[in-house]
């Protein structure tokens, strides 16, 4: 039996929980799914990628790649109970939402895998390099509020991040992406942070400068699979512990008319000791993407900074009195 307390023992923090990936084969040539006039698969539309399966395999499952049907049913119930914000009677966060606003989904997708990560075989992100650990410590130091808003995390400043990546990863809500195809470009429009990534199709070379937060992306078709390779990110990207040296390869393919396969591989030798791969299916959404109103320079940030400056003045005044 898997209960909520047991989940707390072997799962990562809630912010790192995402999806189940089904290790399906890549698109089969001549598959029975929508195609454009030029014969290429029609990936266009809005796709939903919410789920409660974790990015990394929980330590409690060790070498178990797939849950039994009974374990999966127990896990779904326990995980929903654990994540329900209305159950949080003692929270250290300020201004958090109640459960009404969350939309993580309630199901494990695919074949009941225990992690979205398919490589390495243990289903977990490789260890950080010593260089990455030192870099992260410096980031944490620089990101303290008294250094100013310009060093706060990109997601906090509503520039990039959360589940929009790149790469995309399901999270608490807004787990929707709109894809648009033209002859020369492929558009990846995430609902979260209203980020729109424009992929150049069959470009000869990357633009190395100026660098963008989302890097520079080039796409091409390998049979019925769209491959998007992204390089030259601007400094630290919006994704996890990554650096400007991260190289990202994403694959998109139709499993059937209403199911989109998505896989990504990350390589960043300055951050992780090995590359790693994750994959998961997306389901065709029945509703459009709505505006996400998060924006940089909001009143909350100004209020937070003002409060911090007040604390600094009070602390200095108190020291002088002593």
């Amino acid at each position: 039996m898997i209960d909520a307390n047991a989940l707390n023992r072997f799962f990562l923090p809630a912010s790192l929980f995402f999806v189940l990936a089904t290790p399906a084969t890549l698109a089969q040539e001549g598959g029975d799914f929508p195609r454009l006039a030029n014969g290429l698969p029609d990936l266009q539309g809005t796709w939903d990628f919410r789920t409660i399966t974790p990015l990394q395999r929980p330590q409690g499952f060790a070498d178990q790649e797939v849950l039994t049907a009974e374990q999966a049913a127990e896990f779904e119930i326990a995980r929903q109970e654990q994540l329900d914000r209305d159950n949080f009677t003692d929270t250290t966060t300020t201004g958090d939402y109640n459960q009404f606003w969350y939309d993580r989904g309630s199901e494990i997708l695919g074949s009941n895998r225990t992690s979205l990560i398919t490589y390495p075989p243990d289903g977990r992100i490789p260890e950080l390099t010593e260089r990455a650990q030192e870099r992260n410590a410096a980031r944490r130091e620089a990101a303290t509020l008294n250094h100013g808003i310009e060093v706060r995390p990109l997601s906090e400043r509503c520039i990039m991040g959360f589940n929009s990546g790149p790469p995309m990863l399901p999270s608490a809500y807004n787990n929707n992406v709109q894809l648009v195809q033209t002859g020369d470009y492929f558009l990846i429009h995430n609902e979260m942070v209203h980020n729109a990534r424009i992929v150049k199709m069959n470009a000869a070379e990357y633009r190395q400068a100026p660098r963008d937060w989302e890097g520079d992306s080039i796409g091409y078709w390998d049979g019925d699979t769209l491959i998007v390779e992204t390089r030259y990110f601007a400094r630290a990207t919006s994704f996890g512990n990554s650096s400007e040296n991260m190289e990202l390869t994403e694959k998109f393919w139709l499993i059937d008319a209403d199911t989109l396969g998505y896989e990504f591989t990350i390589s960043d030798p300055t951050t992780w000791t090995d590359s790693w791969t994750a994959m998961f299916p997306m389901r065709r959404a029945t509703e459009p993407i709505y505006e996400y109103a998060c924006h940089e320079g909001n009143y909350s940030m100004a209020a937070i900074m003002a409060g911090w400056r007040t604390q600094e003045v009070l602390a200095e005044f108190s020291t002088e009195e002593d």
Side-chain angles (χ1 to χ4, degrees):
M1 188 74 177
I2 303 176
D3 59 26
N5 290 329
L7 287 175
N8 284 325
R9 290 196 297 273
F10 56 65
F11 272 96
L12 297 173
S15 60
L16 294 181
F17 275 76
F18 306 109
V19 192
L20 167 70
T22 304
T25 57
L26 297 185
Q28 298 297 315
E29 303 306 313
D32 183 18
F33 40 71
R35 292 181 180 273
L36 299 174
N38 59 11
L40 292 173
D42 186 355
L43 309 181
Q44 297 179 110
T46 302
W47 301 91
D48 177 351
F49 52 93
R50 56 184 164 168
T51 186
I52 58 172
T53 303
L55 171 63
Q56 302 193 79
R57 183 181 305 157
Q59 297 283 11
F61 290 133
D63 298 327
Q64 186 176 353
E65 296 183 8
V66 180
L67 297 174
T68 65
E70 181 180 3
Q71 286 177 318
E74 293 174 352
F75 168 80
E76 289 176 346
I77 294 173
R79 184 62 181 153
Q80 289 179 63
E81 182 70 14
Q82 184 191 42
L83 292 174
D84 190 330
R85 303 302 293 190
D86 292 342
N87 293 334
F88 287 32
T89 57
D90 180 20
T91 179
T92 58
T93 60
T94 300
D96 200 358
Y97 313 127
N98 57 26
Q99 184 60 25
F100 173 83
W101 300 102
Y102 284 84
D103 189 27
R104 295 185 180 90
S106 59
E107 299 177 350
I108 295 176
L109 301 180
S111 57
N112 293 343
R113 287 186 57 85
T114 52
S115 68
L116 178 141
I117 292 177
T118 59
Y119 178 85
D122 66 358
R124 300 186 64 80
I125 297 175
E127 296 292 330
L128 290 173
T129 63
E130 182 176 346
R131 180 177 175 182
Q133 295 177 45
E134 294 173 352
R135 184 179 68 235
N136 290 345
R139 284 181 186 173
R140 288 191 294 270
E141 171 62 24
T144 55
L145 283 173
N146 59 318
H147 284 274
I149 64 173
E150 66 276 3
V151 295
R152 298 302 300 165
L154 296 182
S155 57
E156 185 176 293
R157 294 158 61 193
C158 297
I159 296 176
M160 287 187 67
F162 301 104
N163 62 25
S164 67
M168 292 178 280
L169 280 172
S171 63
Y173 43 78
N174 293 355
N175 295 297
N176 297 296
V177 60
Q178 180 184 15
L179 305 180
V180 178
Q181 291 170 252
T182 72
D184 298 323
Y185 299 97
F186 182 76
L187 174 69
I188 304 172
H189 171 217
N190 288 94
E191 180 177 16
M192 183 64 85
V193 199
H194 48 251
N195 187 56
R197 184 155 50 109
I198 299 176
V199 179
K200 301 172 295 185
M201 294 300 298
N202 303 309
E205 59 185 22
Y206 292 96
R207 187 194 68 246
Q208 299 187 33
R211 292 193 175 197
D212 295 329
W213 292 118
E214 67 267 27
D216 192 51
S217 299
I218 293 178
Y220 60 92
W221 289 91
D222 181 7
D224 284 342
T225 300
L226 176 65
I227 299 177
V228 177
E229 297 181 346
T230 305
R231 309 287 186 268
Y232 300 107
F233 291 90
R235 292 185 288 161
T237 72
S238 67
F239 184 75
N241 298 300
S242 61
S243 74
E244 68 275 12
N245 300 309
M246 183 175 84
E247 296 186 353
L248 172 66
T249 299
E250 298 166 284
K251 296 181 179 180
F252 300 80
W253 70 96
L254 286 173
I255 297 173
D256 57 48
D258 294 317
T259 309
L260 180 75
Y262 176 69
E263 176 185 272
F264 68 80
T265 297
I266 288 177
S267 177
D268 185 353
T270 62
T271 300
W272 293 287
T273 56
D274 195 2
S275 62
W276 54 283
T277 299
M279 62 185 301
F280 55 92
M282 301 185 186
R283 292 173 288 196
R284 191 178 294 279
T286 57
E287 297 186 11
I289 284 181
Y290 295 94
E291 178 188 8
Y292 183 70
C294 183
H295 60 89
E296 189 179 7
N298 56 62
Y299 293 113
S300 296
M301 182 62 75
I304 291 172
M305 294 301 296
W308 187 275
R309 294 293 174 254
T310 299
Q311 289 185 25
E312 290 177 338
V313 171
L314 291 175
E316 184 176 354
F317 180 74
S318 176
T319 300
E320 291 178 354
E321 283 193 336
D322 294 341

